[in-house]
Amino acid sequence: MTKKIVTLAGDGIGPEIMAAGLEVLEAVAKKINFDYTIEAKAFGGAGIDAAGHPLPEDTLTAAKSADAILLAAIGSPQYDNAPVRPEQGLLAIRKELNLFANIRPVRIFDALKHLSPLKPERIEGVDFVVVRELTGGIYFGEHTLDDDSARDINDYSADEIRRIMRKAFEIARGRSKKVTSIDKQNVLATSKLWRKVADEVAKEYPDVALEHQLVDSAAMIMITNPARFDVVVTENLFGDILSDESSVLPGTLGVMPSASHSENGPSLYEPIHGSAPDIAGQGIANPISMVLSVAMMLRESFGENAGAELIEMAVDKTLKQGILTCDLGGTADTAQMTAAIISNL
Ligand code: NAD
Ligand code: IPM
Ligand code: MN
């Protein structure tokens, strides 16, 4: 059956890397006989420009009826002091589609090991996933800004924690059966609840080991001994920060994909990085984050494991050939990198 994929290219480098991701999808679809349609919709700053809203009504309607959603990136300095910001569209689509489970894999292609700022022995064996709670916490609590005071409320219910925790334990069952839960239990009430629920959920999974880690020391371990992690589960804000930190291991945000899942609706796939305004419009962005997001979509929404593996192997081979974009110190532009990946499929 034909699958409907809604694409949200967004802003900055978004349209450049979306085009690359779709070219790779088209090439791999031919090889595996994957039948799909693309519906492109305005989103983020592009949504504000087209319809006055970062998540226009018809974009949301299309996303809700999609089989999967591909999102590139949103955001632009032009909206820094605007009353409506592109980022509000991102938070709104996550909430509207109930995309509570954001999966951010961290693996380092062999070909990138020597480019990592970390010593080779530190990154040997690094392969973990950050499971980030995506629809709760301080992002969605009340925000109040007055002239001389401000507050942001961090809210979590036990149910919200339980479902993301179960997701992490399920993922751990398919990996090395170890979950590291990250919190700030020595200070925050939300973290005390987080840890209590983590311990309760762990009883449902006697085959999986649970360890707790405070977020400050976890940030340190991510650099000093990252191979220690396998499945890392944490709240929305900590997950945002730690996942960007994890991009230091492969050496760039430009290779980091993600998947966001709800209980039963369509999933959304997007790079973890933003719209990279500093390089937008130059055709030099690294498309790999988007290309690997396409691979995650094929595997996780459509069960097309062979297609996902073809893409991942082609990316690996391309990097081994020394074809690198500028974020990795190379000279290939987006189009050259994309063409090389396609020819290596
Ligand atoms: P960013 O992730 O856009 O960029 C950080 C750095 O990484 C920049 O130097 C950029 O050039 C580089 N980079 C990121 N992706 C790259 C790629 N594919 N290839 C090569 N280099 C890449 O973060 P920022 O500059 O702090 O934020 C810019 C805008 O993006 C802001 O408006 C922010 O709110 C938004 N943002 C959006 C998302 C999203 O769409 N999911 C995520 C993060 C930030
Ligand atoms: C991300 C981004 C978003 C977040 C911003 C743009 C709202 O940084 O997807 O990681 O903080 O979740
Ligand atoms: Mn982020």
Side-chain angles (χ1 to χ4, degrees):
M1 218 179 67
T2 305
K3 300 296 183 191
K4 177 170 127 178
I5 299 169
V6 165
T7 60
L8 311 173
D11 313 314
I13 62 167
E16 302 166 38
I17 59 169
M18 180 62 81
L22 293 181
E23 270 183 60
V24 174
L25 176 61
E26 191 182 344
V28 81
K30 284 200 188 107
K31 291 186 188 289
I32 60 168
N33 287 321
F34 175 66
D35 195 15
Y36 67 99
T37 58
I38 294 290
E39 206 176 313
K41 290 290 175 186
F43 184 62
I48 297 175
D49 297 347
H53 196 282
L55 177 58
E57 198 59 47
D58 81 308
T59 300
L60 178 60
T61 306
K64 280 184 172 164
S65 70
D67 292 304
I69 301 145
L70 286 174
L71 192 161
I74 53 92
S76 164
Q78 98 186 69
Y79 303 102
D80 273 355
N81 298 308
V84 187
R85 294 188 56 125
E87 289 82 354
Q88 290 167 251
L90 189 59
L91 300 187
I93 197 169
R94 289 171 178 170
K95 197 71 174 177
E96 287 282 347
L97 297 183
N98 200 15
L99 299 166
F100 70 95
N102 182 219
I103 315 300
R104 299 187 158 186
V106 185
R107 58 179 276 227
I108 304 172
F109 290 98
D110 283 345
L112 293 186
K113 285 193 172 140
H114 70 288
L115 295 172
S116 171
L118 268 68
K119 292 181 182 137
E121 62 269 24
R122 294 238 160 131
I123 56 166
E124 198 52 49
V126 169
D127 180 356
F128 63 93
V129 284
V130 178
V131 179
R132 172 187 177 196
E133 201 292 325
L134 202 61
T135 51
I138 203 160
Y139 278 73
F140 293 94
E142 194 187 317
H143 305 286
T144 318
L145 174 59
D146 296 324
D147 279 346
D148 53 6
S149 71
R151 58 186 201 141
D152 301 288
I153 305 293
N154 191 11
D155 250 325
Y156 265 112
S157 70
D159 283 346
E160 285 176 306
I161 300 169
R162 199 171 294 114
R163 66 179 179 175
I164 192 68
M165 214 43 87
R166 286 189 177 136
K167 193 83 184 178
F169 276 83
E170 292 295 333
I171 293 171
R173 273 198 167 148
R175 296 176 55 100
S176 62
K177 299 192 168 53
K178 180 179 151 196
V179 170
T180 305
S181 172
I182 294 177
D183 61 36
K184 187 72 187 173
Q185 184 258 9
N186 49 350
V187 178
L188 302 178
T190 42
S191 282
K192 290 188 169 76
L193 183 64
W194 184 273
R195 199 174 276 216
K196 180 167 98 83
V197 174
D199 285 332
E200 285 165 12
V201 171
K203 294 200 182 94
E204 300 169 20
Y205 298 84
D207 51 321
V208 178
L210 169 69
E211 66 167 1
H212 299 286
Q213 202 53 255
L214 294 171
V215 64
D216 45 358
S217 64
M220 182 267 298
I221 293 168
M222 194 161 282
I223 301 300
T224 54
N225 190 9
R228 212 173 143 291
F229 292 131
D230 194 60
V231 175
V232 167
V233 60
T234 191
E235 67 157 86
N236 205 342
L237 182 62
F238 298 161
D240 179 46
I241 298 167
L242 290 175
S243 58
D244 263 38
E245 185 190 356
S246 74
S247 78
V248 174
L249 307 174
T252 176
L253 275 167
V255 297
M256 309 290 286
S258 84
S260 302
H261 302 299
S262 65
E263 312 271 11
N264 43 32
S267 297
L268 181 150
Y269 300 85
E270 58 167 329
I272 79 162
H273 62 68
S275 56
D278 52 339
I279 57 164
Q282 300 174 42
I284 57 170
N286 191 341
I288 291 177
S289 55
M290 192 74 232
V291 169
L292 293 178
S293 298
V294 168
M296 287 187 89
M297 173 188 75
L298 286 173
R299 182 179 286 117
E300 296 183 21
S301 279
F302 303 128
E304 297 284 357
N305 294 358
E309 273 159 36
L310 274 178
I311 293 177
E312 288 158 358
M313 277 157 38
V315 168
D316 193 27
K317 189 168 173 195
T318 305
L319 294 171
K320 281 195 178 118
Q321 290 166 340
I323 299 169
L324 302 170
T325 42
C326 62
D327 52 328
L328 288 165
T331 56
D333 62 19
T334 310
Q336 288 163 337
M337 176 59 103
T338 309
I341 293 170
I342 290 171
S343 77
N344 282 326
L345 275 173

